[in-house]
């Protein structure tokens, strides 16, 4: 998976199965997250915030442009799928959603999560 910075075209974050998550900044490359790299993205409003995952929904976040990543799964008590779907809200960059057994929502970049009620309409 590939995450590109909207505010800086020289920054990409790539998840590589079996090869971790790689960060390209200009001509420099680094591998800040190990394991099986999965879904990743860079905050569309501020490229200092970067997010990457590895298998079963283990979510990591960097607040400093990729120099250091911390786990932010925090109070999510469920295990995700091999590649756990998740995304950043297109209106509020501090809000992110993650799909485990339930859909979880964070309004503070993953510091805390709540189960998000999803209404499914059947035709």
């Amino acid at each position: 998976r590939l995450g590109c910075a909207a505010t800086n075209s020289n920054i990409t974050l790539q998840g590589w199965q079996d090869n971790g998550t790689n960060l390209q900044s200009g001509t420099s490359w680094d591998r800040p997250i190990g394991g099986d790299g999965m879904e990743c993205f860079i905050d569309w409003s501020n490229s200092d915030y970067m997010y990457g995952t590895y298998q079963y929904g283990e979510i990591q976040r960097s607040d400093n442009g990729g120099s250091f990543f911390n786990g932010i799964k925090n109070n999510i008590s469920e295990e995700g799928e091999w590649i756990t779907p998740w995304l950043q809200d297109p209106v509020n960059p501090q809000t992110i959603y993650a799909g485990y057994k339930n859909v979880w929502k964070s309004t503070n970049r993953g510091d805390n999560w709540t189960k998000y009620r999803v209404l499914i309409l059947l035709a």
Side-chain angles (χ1 to χ4, degrees), residues 39 41 84-90 95-99 113:
E39 189 70 53
F41 62 85
T84 301
W86 68 307
L87 57 88
Q88 182 179 33
D89 189 274
T95 300
I96 53 179
Y97 302 90
W113 297 85

Side-chain angles (χ1 to χ4, degrees), residues 69-91:
F69 281 79
N70 268 330
I72 60 167
K73 187 176 173 188
N74 298 329
N75 63 305
I76 297 175
S77 57
E78 303 167 352
E79 184 175 273
E81 294 296 323
W82 178 250
I83 300 175
T84 301
W86 68 307
L87 57 88
Q88 182 179 33
D89 189 274
V91 177

Side-chain angles (χ1 to χ4, degrees), residues 4 8 39 84 94 121:
C4 299
N8 184 336
E39 189 70 53
T84 301
Q94 294 186 13
L121 301 175

Side-chain angles (χ1 to χ4, degrees), residues 1-4 11-17 19-25 29-33 37-42:
R1 306 293 172 116
L2 174 69
C4 299
I11 301 173
T12 60
L13 193 64
Q14 310 98 27
W16 300 90
Q17 184 176 339
N19 292 303
T21 298
N22 295 310
L23 171 62
Q24 178 190 17
S25 181
W29 287 85
D30 190 21
R31 188 169 79 160
I33 305 172
M38 301 292 179
E39 189 70 53
C40 53
F41 62 85
I42 300 170

